[in-house]
Amino acid sequence: SVTLPGRAAIGRSPASVGGRTPVAIASPGRLLSRTHVLVDVDEHGRILVTDHGSGNGTESQTNPPRLFEAHVPYVLAPGTTLRLGDVICRIDLV
């Protein structure tokens, strides 16, 4: 579990894209890209997730699952679970 005060770049060895806080996550099968997704909160308090051109995709685990197009920000409900390559994570507001 990681709590951040703002924006994040998530991946195996993420870059600080646009000043976002890098959050490194272990990827057992190395299917998580170095910088896989960018997470932001907009001025309305909505969670925005953008696939950063990952090699193995980003998919919401909603019903039905939704595959994210690269470089397109998607609004997520708090508590949404994502599959990032071989990693499952939940994005929430605190």
Side-chain angles (χ1 to χ4, degrees):
S1 177
V2 175
T3 302
L4 301 171
R7 307 172 320 148
I10 299 172
R12 278 188 293 114
S13 180
S16 179
V17 178
R20 291 172 182 87
T21 301
V23 178
I25 297 177
S27 176
R30 296 184 54 85
L31 297 177
L32 185 68
S33 294
R34 277 184 229 126
T35 303
H36 200 102
V37 295
L38 307 177
V39 181
D40 299 287
V41 177
D42 72 7
E43 64 275 2
H44 304 291
R46 300 178 303 179
I47 301 169
L48 302 174
V49 173
T50 306
D51 182 287
H52 193 60
S54 69
N56 290 297
T58 301
E59 179 180 80
S60 70
Q61 300 294 284
T62 54
N63 189 9
R66 176 174 49 166
L67 185 62
F68 292 16
E69 184 178 334
H71 308 291
V72 175
Y74 289 85
V75 176
L76 297 185
T80 299
T81 301
L82 299 175
R83 176 181 297 278
L84 311 174
D86 60 345
V87 173
I88 303 290
C89 70
R90 188 176 86 197
I91 307 292
D92 213 339
L93 294 173
V94 291

Coordinates of all heavy atoms in Angstrom, one line a residue:
S1 N 0.8 -1.2 0.0 CA 0.0 0.0 0.0 C 0.9 1.2 0.0 O 1.9 1.3 0.7 CB -0.9 0.0 1.2 OG -1.7 1.1 1.3
V2 N 0.6 2.2 -0.9 CA 1.3 3.4 -1.0 C 0.3 4.6 -0.9 O -0.7 4.6 -1.7 CB 2.1 3.5 -2.3 CG1 2.8 4.8 -2.4 CG2 3.1 2.4 -2.4
T3 N 0.6 5.6 -0.1 CA -0.3 6.8 -0.1 C 0.5 7.9 -0.5 O 1.6 8.2 0.0 CB -0.8 7.0 1.4 OG1 -1.5 5.9 1.8 CG2 -1.7 8.2 1.4
L4 N 0.0 8.7 -1.5 CA 0.7 9.8 -2.1 C -0.2 11.1 -2.0 O -1.4 11.0 -2.1 CB 1.1 9.6 -3.5 CG 1.9 8.4 -3.8 CD1 2.0 8.1 -5.3 CD2 3.3 8.6 -3.3
P5 N 0.4 12.2 -1.8 CA -0.4 13.5 -1.8 C -0.8 14.0 -3.1 O -1.6 14.9 -3.2 CB 0.6 14.4 -1.1 CG 1.9 14.0 -1.5 CD 1.8 12.5 -1.6
G6 N -0.4 13.4 -4.2 CA -0.7 13.9 -5.5 C -0.5 12.9 -6.6 O -1.0 11.8 -6.5
R7 N 0.1 13.3 -7.7 CA 0.2 12.5 -8.9 C 1.3 11.5 -8.8 O 2.3 11.6 -8.1 CB 0.5 13.5 -10.1 CG -0.5 14.6 -10.1 CD -0.2 15.7 -11.1 NE 1.2 16.1 -11.2 CZ 1.7 16.5 -12.3 NH1 1.1 16.6 -13.4 NH2 3.0 16.8 -12.3
A8 N 1.1 10.4 -9.6 CA 2.1 9.2 -9.5 C 2.3 8.7 -10.9 O 1.5 8.8 -11.8 CB 1.5 8.1 -8.7
A9 N 3.5 8.1 -11.1 CA 3.9 7.4 -12.2 C 4.3 6.0 -11.7 O 5.1 5.8 -10.8 CB 5.2 8.0 -12.9
I10 N 3.5 5.0 -12.2 CA 3.7 3.6 -11.6 C 4.3 2.7 -12.7 O 3.9 2.7 -13.8 CB 2.3 3.1 -11.2 CG1 1.7 4.0 -10.2 CG2 2.4 1.6 -10.8 CD1 0.2 3.6 -9.8
G11 N 5.3 1.9 -12.2 CA 5.9 0.9 -13.1 C 7.0 0.1 -12.4 O 7.1 0.3 -11.2
R12 N 7.8 -0.7 -13.1 CA 8.9 -1.4 -12.5 C 10.0 -0.5 -12.1 O 10.6 -0.8 -11.0 CB 9.5 -2.4 -13.6 CG 8.7 -3.7 -13.7 CD 9.4 -4.7 -14.6 NE 9.5 -4.2 -16.0 CZ 10.6 -3.9 -16.6 NH1 11.8 -4.0 -16.1 NH2 10.6 -3.5 -17.9
S13 N 10.3 0.5 -12.8 CA 11.3 1.5 -12.5 C 10.9 2.8 -13.2 O 11.5 3.2 -14.1 CB 12.7 1.0 -13.1 OG 13.7 1.9 -12.8
P14 N 9.9 3.4 -12.6 CA 9.2 4.5 -13.3 C 10.1 5.8 -13.3 O 10.8 6.1 -12.4 CB 7.9 4.7 -12.6 CG 8.2 4.2 -11.2 CD 9.2 3.1 -11.4
A15 N 9.9 6.6 -14.4 CA 10.4 7.9 -14.5 C 9.5 8.9 -13.8 O 8.3 8.6 -13.7 CB 10.6 8.3 -16.0
S16 N 9.9 10.0 -13.4 CA 9.1 11.1 -12.8 C 8.5 11.9 -13.9 O 8.9 13.0 -14.2 CB 9.9 11.9 -11.9 OG 9.1 12.9 -11.3
V17 N 7.5 11.3 -14.7 CA 6.9 12.0 -15.8 C 6.1 13.2 -15.4 O 5.2 13.1 -14.5 CB 6.0 11.0 -16.6 CG1 5.3 11.7 -17.8 CG2 6.8 9.8 -17.0
G18 N 6.5 14.4 -15.9 CA 5.7 15.6 -15.6 C 5.7 15.9 -14.1 O 4.8 16.5 -13.6
G19 N 6.8 15.5 -13.3 CA 6.8 15.8 -11.9 C 6.0 14.9 -11.0 O 5.9 15.1 -9.8
R20 N 5.5 13.8 -11.6 CA 4.7 12.8 -10.8 C 5.7 12.0 -9.9 O 6.8 11.8 -10.3 CB 4.0 11.9 -11.7 CG 2.8 12.5 -12.5 CD 2.2 11.6 -13.5 NE 1.1 12.2 -14.2 CZ 1.3 12.9 -15.3 NH1 2.5 13.1 -15.8 NH2 0.3 13.5 -15.9
T21 N 5.2 11.6 -8.8 CA 6.0 10.8 -7.9 C 6.2 9.4 -8.5 O 5.2 8.7 -8.7 CB 5.3 10.7 -6.5 OG1 5.2 12.0 -6.0 CG2 6.2 9.8 -5.5
P22 N 7.4 8.9 -8.7 CA 7.6 7.5 -9.2 C 7.3 6.5 -8.1 O 7.7 6.6 -6.9 CB 9.1 7.4 -9.5 CG 9.6 8.8 -9.3 CD 8.7 9.6 -8.5
V23 N 6.5 5.5 -8.4 CA 6.1 4.4 -7.5 C 6.5 3.1 -8.2 O 5.9 2.7 -9.2 CB 4.6 4.4 -7.2 CG1 4.3 3.2 -6.3 CG2 4.2 5.7 -6.6
A24 N 7.6 2.4 -7.7 CA 8.1 1.2 -8.2 C 7.3 0.0 -7.6 O 7.1 -0.1 -6.4 CB 9.6 1.0 -8.0
I25 N 6.9 -0.9 -8.5 CA 6.2 -2.1 -8.1 C 6.9 -3.3 -8.7 O 7.3 -3.3 -9.9 CB 4.7 -2.1 -8.6 CG1 4.0 -0.9 -8.0 CG2 4.0 -3.4 -8.3 CD1 2.6 -0.7 -8.5
A26 N 7.0 -4.4 -7.9 CA 7.6 -5.6 -8.4 C 6.7 -6.3 -9.4 O 5.5 -6.3 -9.2 CB 7.9 -6.6 -7.2
S27 N 7.3 -6.8 -10.4 CA 6.6 -7.5 -11.5 C 7.2 -8.8 -11.7 O 8.2 -9.0 -12.4 CB 6.7 -6.6 -12.8 OG 6.1 -7.3 -13.9
P28 N 6.6 -9.9 -11.1 CA 7.2 -11.2 -11.1 C 7.6 -11.7 -12.5 O 8.6 -12.3 -12.8 CB 6.1 -12.1 -10.5 CG 5.3 -11.2 -9.7 CD 5.3 -9.9 -10.4
G29 N 6.7 -11.5 -13.5 CA 7.0 -11.9 -14.9 C 7.5 -10.8 -15.8 O 7.6 -11.0 -17.0
R30 N 7.9 -9.7 -15.2 CA 8.4 -8.5 -15.9 C 7.5 -8.1 -17.0 O 7.9 -7.6 -18.1 CB 9.8 -8.8 -16.4 CG 10.8 -9.0 -15.3 CD 12.2 -9.2 -15.8 NE 12.7 -8.1 -16.6 CZ 13.3 -7.0 -16.2 NH1 13.4 -6.7 -14.9 NH2 13.7 -6.1 -17.0
L31 N 6.1 -8.2 -16.8 CA 5.1 -7.7 -17.8 C 4.7 -6.3 -17.5 O 4.0 -5.7 -18.3 CB 3.9 -8.6 -17.8 CG 4.2 -10.1 -18.2 CD1 2.9 -10.9 -18.1 CD2 4.8 -10.1 -19.6
L32 N 5.1 -5.7 -16.3 CA 4.8 -4.3 -16.0 C 5.9 -3.5 -16.7 O 7.1 -3.8 -16.5 CB 4.9 -4.2 -14.5 CG 4.5 -2.8 -13.9 CD1 3.1 -2.5 -14.1 CD2 4.9 -2.7 -12.4
S33 N 5.5 -2.5 -17.4 CA 6.5 -1.6 -18.1 C 7.3 -0.8 -17.1 O 6.8 -0.6 -16.0 CB 5.8 -0.7 -19.1 OG 5.2 -1.5 -20.2
R34 N 8.4 -0.3 -17.5 CA 9.2 0.6 -16.6 C 8.4 1.7 -16.1 O 8.3 2.0 -14.9 CB 10.4 1.1 -17.4 CG 11.5 0.1 -17.4 CD 12.8 0.7 -18.0 NE 13.3 -0.3 -19.0 CZ 13.5 0.0 -20.2 NH1 13.4 1.2 -20.7 NH2 13.9 -1.0 -21.0
T35 N 7.7 2.5 -17.0 CA 6.7 3.5 -16.6 C 5.4 3.0 -17.3 O 5.2 3.2 -18.5 CB 7.1 4.9 -17.0 OG1 8.4 5.2 -16.4 CG2 6.1 5.9 -16.5
H36 N 4.5 2.4 -16.5 CA 3.3 1.8 -17.1 C 2.1 2.7 -17.2 O 1.5 2.8 -18.2 CB 3.0 0.5 -16.2 CG 2.1 -0.5 -17.0 ND1 2.6 -1.6 -17.5 CD2 0.8 -0.5 -17.2 CE1 1.7 -2.3 -18.1 NE2 0.5 -1.7 -17.9
V37 N 1.8 3.3 -16.0 CA 0.6 4.2 -16.0 C 0.9 5.5 -15.2 O 1.8 5.5 -14.4 CB -0.7 3.6 -15.3 CG1 -1.2 2.4 -16.1 CG2 -0.4 3.2 -13.9
L38 N 0.2 6.5 -15.6 CA 0.2 7.8 -14.9 C -1.1 8.0 -14.1 O -2.2 7.7 -14.7 CB 0.4 8.9 -15.8 CG 1.6 8.8 -16.8 CD1 1.7 9.9 -17.8 CD2 2.9 8.6 -16.0
V39 N -1.1 8.4 -12.9 CA -2.3 8.6 -12.1 C -2.3 10.1 -11.6 O -1.3 10.6 -11.1 CB -2.3 7.7 -10.9 CG1 -3.6 7.9 -10.0 CG2 -2.1 6.2 -11.3
D40 N -3.5 10.7 -11.9 CA -3.7 12.1 -11.5 C -5.0 12.2 -10.8 O -5.9 11.4 -11.0 CB -3.6 13.0 -12.7 CG -2.3 12.9 -13.5 OD1 -1.3 13.5 -12.9 OD2 -2.2 12.3 -14.5
V41 N -5.2 13.3 -10.1 CA -6.5 13.7 -9.6 C -6.8 15.1 -10.2 O -6.0 16.0 -10.0 CB -6.6 13.7 -8.1 CG1 -7.9 14.2 -7.6 CG2 -6.2 12.3 -7.5
D42 N -8.0 15.2 -10.9 CA -8.3 16.5 -11.5 C -8.9 17.5 -10.5 O -9.1 17.2 -9.4 CB -9.1 16.3 -12.8 CG -10.6 15.9 -12.5 OD1 -11.0 15.9 -11.3 OD2 -11.3 15.6 -13.5
E43 N -9.2 18.7 -11.0 CA -9.7 19.7 -10.2 C -11.1 19.4 -9.6 O -11.5 20.1 -8.6 CB -9.8 21.1 -10.9 CG -10.7 21.1 -12.1 CD -10.1 20.5 -13.4 OE1 -8.9 20.1 -13.4 OE2 -10.8 20.5 -14.4
H44 N -11.8 18.4 -10.1 CA -13.1 18.0 -9.6 C -12.9 16.8 -8.6 O -13.9 16.2 -8.2 CB -14.0 17.6 -10.7 CG -14.2 18.7 -11.7 ND1 -14.9 19.9 -11.4 CD2 -13.7 18.8 -13.0 CE1 -14.8 20.7 -12.5 NE2 -14.2 20.1 -13.5
G45 N -11.7 16.4 -8.3 CA -11.4 15.3 -7.4 C -11.6 13.9 -8.0 O -11.7 12.9 -7.3
R46 N -11.6 13.8 -9.4 CA -11.8 12.6 -10.1 C -10.4 12.0 -10.3 O -9.4 12.7 -10.6 CB -12.5 12.7 -11.4 CG -13.9 13.3 -11.3 CD -14.5 13.5 -12.6 NE -13.7 14.4 -13.4 CZ -13.9 14.8 -14.7 NH1 -15.0 14.3 -15.3 NH2 -13.1 15.6 -15.3
I47 N -10.3 10.6 -10.2 CA -9.1 9.9 -10.5 C -8.9 9.7 -12.0 O -9.9 9.2 -12.7 CB -9.1 8.5 -9.8 CG1 -9.2 8.7 -8.3 CG2 -7.8 7.8 -10.2 CD1 -9.5 7.4 -7.6
L48 N -7.8 10.1 -12.6 CA -7.5 9.9 -14.0 C -6.3 9.0 -14.1 O -5.3 9.2 -13.5 CB -7.2 11.2 -14.7 CG -8.2 12.3 -14.6 CD1 -7.7 13.6 -15.2 CD2 -9.5 11.9 -15.3
V49 N -6.5 7.9 -14.9 CA -5.4 7.0 -15.2 C -5.1 6.9 -16.7 O -6.0 6.8 -17.5 CB -5.7 5.6 -14.6 CG1 -4.7 4.6 -15.0 CG2 -5.9 5.6 -13.1
T50 N -3.8 7.1 -17.0 CA -3.4 7.1 -18.4 C -2.3 6.0 -18.6 O -1.3 6.0 -17.9 CB -2.8 8.4 -18.8 OG1 -3.8 9.5 -18.5 CG2 -2.5 8.5 -20.3
D51 N -2.6 5.0 -19.5 CA -1.6 4.1 -19.9 C -0.5 4.8 -20.6 O -0.8 5.6 -21.6 CB -2.2 3.0 -20.8 CG -1.2 1.9 -21.2 OD1 -0.3 2.2 -22.0 OD2 -1.3 0.8 -20.7
H52 N 0.8 4.7 -20.2 CA 1.9 5.5 -20.7 C 2.6 4.7 -21.9 O 3.8 4.8 -22.0 CB 2.9 5.8 -19.6 CG 3.9 6.8 -19.9 ND1 3.6 8.1 -20.3 CD2 5.3 6.7 -19.9 CE1 4.7 8.7 -20.5 NE2 5.7 7.9 -20.3
G53 N 1.8 4.0 -22.7 CA 2.4 3.3 -23.8 C 3.0 2.0 -23.4 O 4.0 1.5 -24.0
S54 N 2.4 1.3 -22.4 CA 2.9 0.1 -21.9 C 2.9 -1.0 -22.9 O 2.1 -1.0 -23.9 CB 2.1 -0.4 -20.7 OG 0.8 -0.8 -21.1
G55 N 3.8 -2.0 -22.7 CA 3.9 -3.1 -23.7 C 2.8 -4.2 -23.5 O 2.4 -4.9 -24.4
N56 N 2.3 -4.3 -22.2 CA 1.3 -5.3 -21.9 C -0.1 -4.8 -21.5 O -0.9 -5.6 -21.0 CB 1.9 -6.3 -20.9 CG 3.0 -7.1 -21.5 OD1 2.8 -7.9 -22.5 ND2 4.2 -6.9 -21.0
G57 N -0.3 -3.6 -21.7 CA -1.6 -3.0 -21.5 C -2.1 -2.8 -20.0 O -1.5 -3.2 -19.1
T58 N -3.1 -2.0 -20.0 CA -3.8 -1.6 -18.7 C -5.3 -2.0 -18.9 O -5.9 -1.6 -19.9 CB -3.6 -0.1 -18.4 OG1 -2.2 0.2 -18.3 CG2 -4.3 0.3 -17.1
E59 N -5.8 -2.7 -17.9 CA -7.2 -3.1 -18.0 C -7.9 -2.9 -16.7 O -7.4 -3.3 -15.6 CB -7.3 -4.6 -18.4 CG -8.6 -5.1 -18.5 CD -8.6 -6.6 -19.0 OE1 -8.4 -7.4 -18.1 OE2 -8.8 -6.9 -20.1
S60 N -9.1 -2.3 -16.7 CA -9.9 -2.2 -15.5 C -10.5 -3.6 -15.2 O -10.9 -4.3 -16.1 CB -11.0 -1.1 -15.6 OG -12.0 -1.5 -16.5
Q61 N -10.6 -3.9 -14.0 CA -11.2 -5.2 -13.6 C -12.7 -5.0 -13.3 O -13.2 -5.6 -12.3 CB -10.5 -5.8 -12.4 CG -9.0 -6.1 -12.7 CD -8.8 -7.2 -13.8 OE1 -9.0 -8.3 -13.5 NE2 -8.5 -6.7 -15.0
T62 N -13.4 -4.1 -14.0 CA -14.8 -3.8 -13.8 C -15.6 -4.9 -14.6 O -15.0 -5.7 -15.3 CB -15.2 -2.4 -14.3 OG1 -14.7 -2.3 -15.7 CG2 -14.5 -1.4 -13.4
N63 N -16.9 -4.8 -14.5 CA -17.8 -5.7 -15.3 C -18.5 -4.9 -16.3 O -19.5 -4.2 -15.9 CB -18.7 -6.4 -14.3 CG -19.5 -7.6 -15.0 OD1 -19.2 -7.9 -16.1 ND2 -20.4 -8.1 -14.3
P64 N -18.2 -5.0 -17.6 CA -17.2 -5.8 -18.2 C -15.8 -5.1 -18.0 O -15.8 -3.9 -17.9 CB -17.6 -5.9 -19.6 CG -18.3 -4.6 -19.9 CD -19.0 -4.3 -18.6
P65 N -14.7 -5.9 -18.1 CA -13.4 -5.3 -18.1 C -13.2 -4.3 -19.2 O -13.8 -4.4 -20.3 CB -12.4 -6.5 -18.3 CG -13.2 -7.6 -17.9 CD -14.6 -7.3 -18.2
R66 N -12.4 -3.3 -19.0 CA -12.1 -2.3 -20.1 C -10.6 -2.1 -20.3 O -9.9 -1.9 -19.4 CB -12.7 -0.9 -19.6 CG -12.5 0.2 -20.6 CD -13.2 1.5 -20.2 NE -13.0 1.8 -18.8 CZ -13.3 3.0 -18.3 NH1 -13.8 4.0 -19.0 NH2 -13.0 3.3 -17.0
L67 N -10.2 -2.3 -21.5 CA -8.8 -2.2 -21.9 C -8.6 -0.7 -22.2 O -9.3 -0.1 -23.0 CB -8.5 -3.0 -23.1 CG -7.0 -3.1 -23.6 CD1 -6.1 -3.7 -22.5 CD2 -6.9 -3.9 -24.8
F68 N -7.5 -0.1 -21.7 CA -7.2 1.3 -21.8 C -6.4 1.5 -23.1 O -5.4 0.8 -23.3 CB -6.5 1.9 -20.7 CG -7.2 1.9 -19.4 CD1 -8.4 1.3 -19.2 CD2 -6.8 2.7 -18.3 CE1 -9.1 1.3 -18.0 CE2 -7.5 2.8 -17.1 CZ -8.7 2.1 -17.0
E69 N -6.7 2.5 -23.9 CA -6.0 2.9 -25.0 C -4.8 3.7 -24.5 O -4.9 4.5 -23.6 CB -6.8 3.8 -26.0 CG -6.1 4.1 -27.2 CD -7.1 4.9 -28.2 OE1 -8.3 4.8 -28.1 OE2 -6.5 5.7 -28.9
A70 N -3.6 3.5 -25.1 CA -2.4 4.3 -24.6 C -2.6 5.8 -24.8 O -3.2 6.2 -25.8 CB -1.2 3.8 -25.4
H71 N -2.1 6.5 -23.8 CA -2.0 8.0 -23.8 C -3.4 8.7 -23.8 O -3.5 9.9 -24.1 CB -1.2 8.5 -25.0 CG 0.2 7.9 -25.1 ND1 1.2 8.1 -24.1 CD2 0.7 6.9 -25.9 CE1 2.2 7.4 -24.5 NE2 2.0 6.7 -25.5
V72 N -4.4 7.9 -23.4 CA -5.8 8.5 -23.2 C -6.1 8.4 -21.7 O -6.1 7.3 -21.2 CB -6.8 7.7 -24.1 CG1 -8.2 8.2 -23.8 CG2 -6.5 7.7 -25.5
P73 N -6.4 9.6 -21.1 CA -6.8 9.5 -19.7 C -8.2 9.0 -19.5 O -9.1 9.3 -20.3 CB -6.7 11.0 -19.3 CG -6.6 11.8 -20.5 CD -6.3 10.9 -21.6
Y74 N -8.4 8.1 -18.5 CA -9.7 7.5 -18.2 C -10.0 7.9 -16.8 O -9.2 7.8 -15.9 CB -9.6 5.9 -18.3 CG -9.5 5.4 -19.7 CD1 -8.3 5.3 -20.4 CD2 -10.6 5.1 -20.4 CE1 -8.2 4.9 -21.7 CE2 -10.5 4.6 -21.7 CZ -9.3 4.6 -22.3 OH -9.2 4.1 -23.6
V75 N -11.3 8.3 -16.6 CA -11.8 8.6 -15.2 C -12.2 7.3 -14.6 O -12.9 6.4 -15.1 CB -13.0 9.5 -15.3 CG1 -13.6 9.7 -13.9 CG2 -12.6 10.8 -16.0
L76 N -11.7 7.1 -13.3 CA -12.0 5.8 -12.6 C -12.7 6.2 -11.3 O -12.5 7.2 -10.7 CB -10.7 5.1 -12.2 CG -9.7 4.6 -13.2 CD1 -8.6 3.8 -12.5 CD2 -10.5 3.7 -14.2
A77 N -13.6 5.3 -11.0 CA -14.3 5.4 -9.7 C -13.3 5.0 -8.6 O -12.4 4.1 -8.8 CB -15.5 4.4 -9.6
P78 N -13.3 5.7 -7.4 CA -12.4 5.3 -6.3 C -12.6 3.8 -6.0 O -13.7 3.3 -6.0 CB -12.9 6.2 -5.2 CG -13.5 7.4 -5.8 CD -14.2 6.8 -7.1
G79 N -11.4 3.1 -5.8 CA -11.5 1.7 -5.4 C -11.4 0.8 -6.6 O -11.5 -0.4 -6.5
T80 N -11.3 1.3 -7.8 CA -11.2 0.5 -9.0 C -9.9 -0.3 -9.0 O -8.8 0.2 -8.7 CB -11.2 1.4 -10.3 OG1 -12.5 2.1 -10.3 CG2 -11.1 0.5 -11.6
T81 N -10.1 -1.6 -9.4 CA -8.9 -2.5 -9.5 C -8.5 -2.5 -11.0 O -9.3 -2.6 -11.9 CB -9.3 -3.9 -9.0 OG1 -9.7 -3.8 -7.7 CG2 -8.1 -4.9 -9.1
L82 N -7.1 -2.5 -11.1 CA -6.5 -2.5 -12.5 C -5.6 -3.7 -12.6 O -4.9 -4.1 -11.6 CB -5.7 -1.2 -12.7 CG -6.5 0.1 -12.7 CD1 -5.5 1.3 -12.9 CD2 -7.5 0.2 -13.8
R83 N -5.5 -4.2 -13.8 CA -4.4 -5.1 -14.2 C -3.4 -4.4 -15.0 O -3.8 -3.8 -16.1 CB -5.0 -6.3 -15.0 CG -3.9 -7.3 -15.4 CD -4.4 -8.5 -16.2 NE -5.3 -9.3 -15.4 CZ -4.9 -10.2 -14.6 NH1 -3.6 -10.5 -14.4 NH2 -5.8 -11.0 -13.9
L84 N -2.2 -4.3 -14.5 CA -1.1 -3.7 -15.2 C -0.1 -4.8 -15.6 O 0.7 -5.2 -14.8 CB -0.4 -2.6 -14.3 CG -1.3 -1.6 -13.6 CD1 -0.5 -0.8 -12.6 CD2 -2.1 -0.8 -14.6
G85 N -0.2 -5.3 -16.8 CA 0.7 -6.4 -17.2 C 0.4 -7.6 -16.3 O -0.7 -8.2 -16.3
D86 N 1.3 -8.0 -15.4 CA 1.1 -9.2 -14.5 C 0.8 -8.7 -13.0 O 1.0 -9.5 -12.1 CB 2.3 -10.1 -14.5 CG 3.6 -9.5 -14.1 OD1 3.7 -8.2 -14.1 OD2 4.5 -10.2 -13.9
V87 N 0.5 -7.4 -12.9 CA 0.3 -6.9 -11.5 C -1.2 -6.4 -11.4 O -1.7 -5.8 -12.3 CB 1.2 -5.7 -11.3 CG1 0.9 -5.0 -10.0 CG2 2.7 -6.1 -11.3
I88 N -1.8 -6.7 -10.3 CA -3.1 -6.2 -9.9 C -3.0 -5.1 -8.9 O -2.3 -5.3 -7.9 CB -4.0 -7.3 -9.4 CG1 -4.1 -8.5 -10.4 CG2 -5.4 -6.8 -9.0 CD1 -4.9 -8.2 -11.7
C89 N -3.6 -4.0 -9.1 CA -3.5 -2.9 -8.0 C -4.9 -2.2 -8.0 O -5.7 -2.3 -8.9 CB -2.4 -1.9 -8.3 SG -2.7 -0.9 -9.7
R90 N -5.1 -1.6 -6.8 CA -6.3 -0.8 -6.6 C -6.0 0.7 -6.4 O -5.0 1.0 -5.7 CB -7.1 -1.3 -5.4 CG -8.5 -0.7 -5.3 CD -9.2 -1.2 -4.1 NE -8.8 -0.4 -2.9 CZ -8.9 -0.8 -1.7 NH1 -9.5 -1.9 -1.4 NH2 -8.5 0.0 -0.7
I91 N -6.7 1.5 -7.1 CA -6.5 2.9 -7.1 C -7.6 3.6 -6.3 O -8.8 3.3 -6.6 CB -6.4 3.6 -8.5 CG1 -5.4 2.8 -9.4 CG2 -6.2 5.1 -8.4 CD1 -4.0 3.0 -9.0
D92 N -7.3 4.3 -5.3 CA -8.3 4.9 -4.4 C -7.9 6.3 -3.9 O -6.8 6.7 -4.1 CB -8.5 4.0 -3.2 CG -9.9 3.9 -2.7 OD1 -10.7 4.8 -2.9 OD2 -10.2 2.9 -2.0
L93 N -8.9 7.0 -3.4 CA -8.7 8.3 -2.8 C -8.7 8.1 -1.3 O -9.5 7.3 -0.8 CB -9.7 9.3 -3.2 CG -9.8 9.7 -4.7 CD1 -11.0 10.5 -4.9 CD2 -8.5 10.4 -5.0
V94 N -7.9 8.8 -0.5 CA -8.0 8.8 0.9 C -8.1 10.2 1.5 O -7.9 11.1 0.9 CB -6.7 8.1 1.5 CG1 -6.7 6.6 1.2 CG2 -5.4 8.8 1.1

